[in-house]
């Protein structure tokens, strides 16, 4: 009997363990994004293991064809080519996607939504996170970390564009995307002759200049997303107009200048526009991010600029100093900097409201632009830091 009792006890224990093993998984937690909004049911994704990181992204309505990751991690799976590495749908969800990437200490990641036709460009990357420069308070937050501590959001470049930095391996981080920089799944215009009319804020003086920066041509063309390259005409009613050939799927922003020579992304409107299918644009700018006529100019002068390269330099290449000079300006500079230890130096005259950047050039003359925005000279600090894409 003792043996039978023992056997029955073992059988009961086995059945109990079996039931535990088949137990329904814990329900997914409900997380409210820090800035409020609708609660999100977070899917449970397993940790990826050593040497890997996993990103899980909740996409907004209007995402029709999936998303990709771009950036750098020292492998071919992650480059700055916007074609990117595909996310895959999270099982049993309709609006969550995941991707597992190779961890690198200096890795950077951005996320882009595919268009209806499967194309990928920077125009449909995830939306801006902007803050009030005086108070630091959020103005617009379109990308949130809602769970996990596997990386950090950096929105310090290009007017609030979001990239991920400071990754931790073997982690899963969950994101909520409220909006893409430009809607990926809308009908796009055909190439043709377009007319633009824009109503500007009442604070814009009659002497101001307005430019349309957009994807005229392709990256590298002189008008491609170049503030001041395409100017509008001021009309008697205070609006600005332009008639010009546009490419298919044209996207653009309006930028203002106080003098017609000093152009800066700080003086753009915050909204990016899609060209209507009709090729007739009638837009309204509610406000400029900053108003250049209220900014005291930084005077021209002469000085020695010193540049530190923080990443991406290839030994033996030249570093060329470029900026908004009157002669041989952006991309045309022959101002090769002198290497002095770990710092590159250039001495010479600079114009009013000077902005600068550097280019790395190899022996064959191939040029690579530094990452990020142009940097503004404040009239006092001649020291700048730049980095280059890391292959």
């Amino acid at each position: 009997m003792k043996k039978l009792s023992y056997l029955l006890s073992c059988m009961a224990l086995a059945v109990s363990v079996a039931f535990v093993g088949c137990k329904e998984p814990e329900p997914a937690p409900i997380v409210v994004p820090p800035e409020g909004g609708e609660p999100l049911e977070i899917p449970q994704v397993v940790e990826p293991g050593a040497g890997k990181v996993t990103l899980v992204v909740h996409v907004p309505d209007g995402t029709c064809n999936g998303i990709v990751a771009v950036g750098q991690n020292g492998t071919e799976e992650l480059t700055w080519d916007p074609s990117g590495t595909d996310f895959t749908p999270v099982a049993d969800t309709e609006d969550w996607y995941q991707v597992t990437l190779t961890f690198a200490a200096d890795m950077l990641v951005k996320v882009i939504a595919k268009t209806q036709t499967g194309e990928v460009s920077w125009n449909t990357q995830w939306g801006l996170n902007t803050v009030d420069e005086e108070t630091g308070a959020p103005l617009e937050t379109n990308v949130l970390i809602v769970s996990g501590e596997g990386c950090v959001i950096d929105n310090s470049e290009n007017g609030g564009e979001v990239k991920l930095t400071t990754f931790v391996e073997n982690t899963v981080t969950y994101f909520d995307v409220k909006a893409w920089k430009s809607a990926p799944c809308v009908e796009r215009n055909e190439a043709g002759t377009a007319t633009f009319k824009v109503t500007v804020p009442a604070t814009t003086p009659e002497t101001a200049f307005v430019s349309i920066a957009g994807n005229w041509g392709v990256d590298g063309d002189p008008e491609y997303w170049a503030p001041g390259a395409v100017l509008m005409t001021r009309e008697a009613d205070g609006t600005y107009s332009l008639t010009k050939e546009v490419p298919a799927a044209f996207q653009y922003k309006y930028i203002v200048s106080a003098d017609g020579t000093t152009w800066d992304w700080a003086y753009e409107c915050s909204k990016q526009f899609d060209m209507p299918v009709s090729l007739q644009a009638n837009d309204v700018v509610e406000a400029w991010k900053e108003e250049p006529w209220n900014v005291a100019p930084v005077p021209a002068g002469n000085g020695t600029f010193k540049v530190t390269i923080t990443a991406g330099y290839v030994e033996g290449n030249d570093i060329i100093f470029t900026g908004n000079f009157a002669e041989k300006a952006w991309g045309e500079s022959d101002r090769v900097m002198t290497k002095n230890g770990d710092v590159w130096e250039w001495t010479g005259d600079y114009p009013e409201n000077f902005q600068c950047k550097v280019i790395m050039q190899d022996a064959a003359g191939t040029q690579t632009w530094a990452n990020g925005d142009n940097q503004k000279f404040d009239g006092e600090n001649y020291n700048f830091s730049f980095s280059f894409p890391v292959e």
Side-chain angles (χ1 to χ4, degrees):
M1 290 296 294
K2 288 184 178 180
K3 289 184 178 179
L4 178 60
S5 176
Y6 176 74
L7 289 173
L8 290 173
S9 298
C10 290
M11 290 174 64
L13 178 61
V15 171
S16 174
V17 170
F19 275 118
V20 170
C22 297
K23 184 177 67 174
E24 289 293 323
E26 293 293 326
I30 304 299
V31 176
V32 178
E35 278 74 18
E38 293 296 322
L40 290 175
E41 185 171 331
I42 307 257
Q44 297 303 291
V45 175
V46 298
E47 293 180 349
K52 300 287 185 179
V53 295
T54 295
L55 309 179
V56 187
V57 176
H58 178 256
V59 299
D61 292 341
T63 306
C64 63
N65 210 3
I67 61 177
V68 301
V70 299
Q72 66 183 43
N73 66 346
T75 77
E76 293 183 359
E77 73 182 9
L78 201 61
T79 71
W80 291 112
D81 182 337
S83 59
T85 295
D86 285 316
F87 281 69
T88 58
V90 177
D92 301 321
T93 72
E94 295 182 355
D95 46 15
W96 286 92
Y97 290 81
Q98 69 180 67
V99 68
T100 296
L101 301 167
T102 302
F103 168 79
D106 61 347
M107 69 187 296
L108 304 171
V109 176
K110 288 190 173 189
V111 176
I112 303 176
K114 293 183 180 180
T115 65
Q116 287 170 310
T117 59
E119 298 173 344
V120 184
S121 77
W122 292 109
N123 299 323
T124 55
Q125 65 181 290
W126 51 13
L128 303 179
N129 285 6
T130 59
V131 297
D132 186 294
E133 293 188 358
E134 293 185 1
T135 66
L139 295 176
E140 183 177 51
T141 303
N142 285 323
V143 182
L144 304 171
I145 295 177
V146 292
S147 183
E149 299 179 351
C151 57
V152 172
I153 285 180
D154 180 347
N155 63 313
S156 61
E157 296 179 348
N158 302 328
E161 288 183 359
V162 170
K163 69 173 180 283
L164 307 179
T165 69
T166 320
F167 284 82
V168 179
E169 65 178 313
N170 191 24
T171 56
V172 181
T173 308
Y174 297 82
F175 301 84
D176 180 31
V177 178
K178 291 184 177 181
W180 303 106
K181 188 175 179 182
S182 178
C185 298
V186 297
E187 189 177 2
R188 302 296 188 184
N189 69 282
E190 299 290 338
T193 303
T195 60
F196 299 83
K197 180 179 181 179
V198 61
T199 300
V200 297
T203 55
T204 307
E206 296 182 5
T207 54
F209 294 79
V210 175
S211 167
I212 297 179
N215 57 319
W216 313 96
V218 297
D219 193 3
D221 290 347
E223 292 183 349
Y224 186 83
W225 288 106
V230 178
L231 292 177
M232 305 186 75
T233 300
R234 189 178 190 279
E235 305 295 345
D237 63 357
T239 62
Y240 288 77
S241 66
L242 174 71
T243 299
K244 183 176 171 63
E245 293 291 315
V246 297
F250 184 64
Q251 296 179 309
Y252 59 99
K253 278 191 171 186
Y254 295 102
I255 301 179
V256 70
S257 170
D259 56 13
T261 59
T262 304
W263 296 94
D264 193 302
W265 285 107
Y267 309 132
E268 66 176 345
C269 65
S270 59
K271 180 179 179 181
Q272 181 166 297
F273 296 88
D274 293 302
M275 188 74 230
V277 175
S278 65
L279 299 181
Q280 307 288 316
N282 194 349
D283 301 319
V284 176
V285 173
E286 299 291 347
W288 305 110
K289 286 175 65 176
E290 294 182 24
E291 297 185 337
W293 40 89
N294 293 330
V295 178
V298 177
N302 179 281
T304 298
F305 292 88
K306 299 182 178 182
V307 169
T308 301
I309 307 300
T310 59
Y313 175 68
V314 177
E315 195 64 39
N317 286 354
D318 287 332
I319 297 297
I320 298 174
F321 193 60
T322 186
N324 57 330
F325 297 96
E327 298 292 334
K328 294 188 176 180
W330 301 107
E332 301 177 348
S333 176
D334 58 0
R335 301 174 181 86
V336 178
M337 305 190 80
T338 301
K339 194 171 188 303
N340 186 3
D342 294 330
V343 176
W344 281 261
E345 299 181 353
W346 177 84
T347 301
D349 296 329
Y350 53 85
E352 183 179 83
N353 293 324
F354 181 52
Q355 298 181 44
C356 65
K357 206 167 188 178
V358 292
I359 301 170
M360 182 167 59
Q361 180 171 288
D362 63 19
T366 302
Q367 294 187 341
T368 302
W369 284 81
N371 295 323
D373 293 338
N374 306 328
Q375 295 195 24
K376 300 178 186 177
F377 174 57
D378 62 8
E380 296 181 1
N381 182 15
Y382 289 84
N383 299 290
F384 296 90
S385 294
F386 293 95
S387 66
F388 291 95
V390 178
E391 296 183 356

